């Protein structure tokens, strides 16, 4: 596809979904603990937010697969389910059960101040259980993850936010035309926390074909593939 044409379309999609991200995220918050097939989710959003199915599908694509939104996607027997499994508010942070195609479910605590300051999903520091590039093994408790975020706070931020609100309105972590859509590594504080949306993937290749909302997976044979998040 022609690069200019792709960039133009991507911009259009983001402009289309941006006004609806918060309202759509709230629909899933109201249904915490319930997972919907994508078809069910799209008609739910159509009804609750008063948007058409195309916009609902695009918005859904933007909400799943990032760090800041507790909305996750699980593929089960060929069907994709989306929703919020579990959500918690903490002092200056929030937590949710993440689901990763490679590593399964894991508790994640996200720094609220990073969410407040960030423009991109990838800028947000989180502490995630069983994260291969983080410092928390499987079985880490909410308290342990929160303590990691509070340690990050002391190093990275001067103030602790009073209110907790998820970052539904942040742009997706993927970048267009950049060299890195994802990068492995820590936040430089030495805490082993990752400030990275997808956490395990590093690319030096050309990622010009990615669009915001695209979902990136690693296959069992270690090949990367990208799926339209819609
Ligand atoms: Zn932070």
């Amino acid at each position: 596809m022609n690069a200019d044409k792709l960039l133009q379309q991507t911009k259009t999609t983001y402009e289309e979904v941006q006004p609806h991200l918060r309202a759509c995220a709230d629909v899933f918050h109201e249904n915490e603990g319930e997972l919907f097939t994508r078809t069910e989710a799209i008609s739910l959003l159509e009804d609750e937010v008063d948007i058409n199915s195309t916009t609902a599908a695009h918005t859904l694509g933007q909400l799943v697969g990032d760090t800041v939104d507790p909305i996750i996607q699980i593929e089960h027997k060929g069907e994709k389910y989306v929703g919020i499994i579990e959500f918690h508010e903490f002092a200056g942070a929030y937590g949710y059960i993440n689901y990763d195609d490679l590593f399964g479910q894991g508790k994640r605590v996200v720094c609220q101040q990073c969410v407040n300051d960030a423009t991109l999903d990838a800028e947000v520091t989180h502490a995630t259980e069983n994260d291969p590039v983080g410092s928390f093994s499987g079985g880490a408790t909410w308290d342990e993850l929160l303590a990691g975020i509070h340690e990050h706070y002391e190093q990275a931020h001067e103030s602790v936010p009073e209110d907790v609100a998820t970052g539904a309105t942040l742009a997706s972590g993927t970048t267009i035309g950049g060299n890195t859509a994802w990068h492995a590594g820590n936040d430089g504080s030495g805490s082993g926390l990752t400030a990275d949306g997808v956490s395990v993937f590093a690319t030096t290749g050309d990622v010009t074909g990615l669009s915001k909302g695209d979902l990136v997976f690693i296959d069992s044979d270690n090949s990367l593939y990208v799926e339209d998040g819609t």
Side-chain angles (χ1 to χ4, degrees), residues 158-173:
E158 289 175 355
S159 61
V160 177
E162 289 175 12
D163 299 317
V164 168
T166 63
T169 53
L170 290 186
S172 152

Side-chain angles (χ1 to χ4, degrees), residues 111-115 125 152-153 156-157:
C111 172
Q112 181 69 57
Q113 190 60 44
C114 279
V115 171
T125 293
H152 148 81
Y153 251 110
H157 303 301

Side-chain angles (χ1 to χ4, degrees), residues 99-163:
Y99 187 85
D100 183 287
D101 290 318
L102 277 180
F103 306 108
Q105 64 164 294
K107 304 178 197 77
R108 169 173 286 170
V109 176
V110 180
C111 172
Q112 181 69 57
Q113 190 60 44
C114 279
V115 171
N116 293 352
D117 295 344
T119 308
L120 290 173
D121 186 68
E123 297 166 355
V124 174
T125 293
H126 61 92
T128 301
E129 176 190 5
N130 207 15
D131 184 340
V133 294
S135 54
F136 298 96
S137 56
T141 65
W142 290 113
D143 282 349
E144 286 167 340
L145 297 170
L146 184 59
I149 288 297
H150 284 167
E151 193 184 312
H152 148 81
Y153 251 110
E154 289 171 18
Q155 294 163 344
H157 303 301
E158 289 175 355
S159 61
V160 177
E162 289 175 12
D163 299 317

Side-chain angles (χ1 to χ4, degrees), residues 35-54:
L35 296 177
F36 304 89
T37 65
R38 286 189 82 102
T39 310
E40 289 168 346
I42 287 163
S43 53
L44 182 70
L45 294 178
E46 277 184 82
D47 293 345
E48 300 280 327
V49 187
D50 196 24
I51 48 179
N52 66 37
S53 62
T54 307

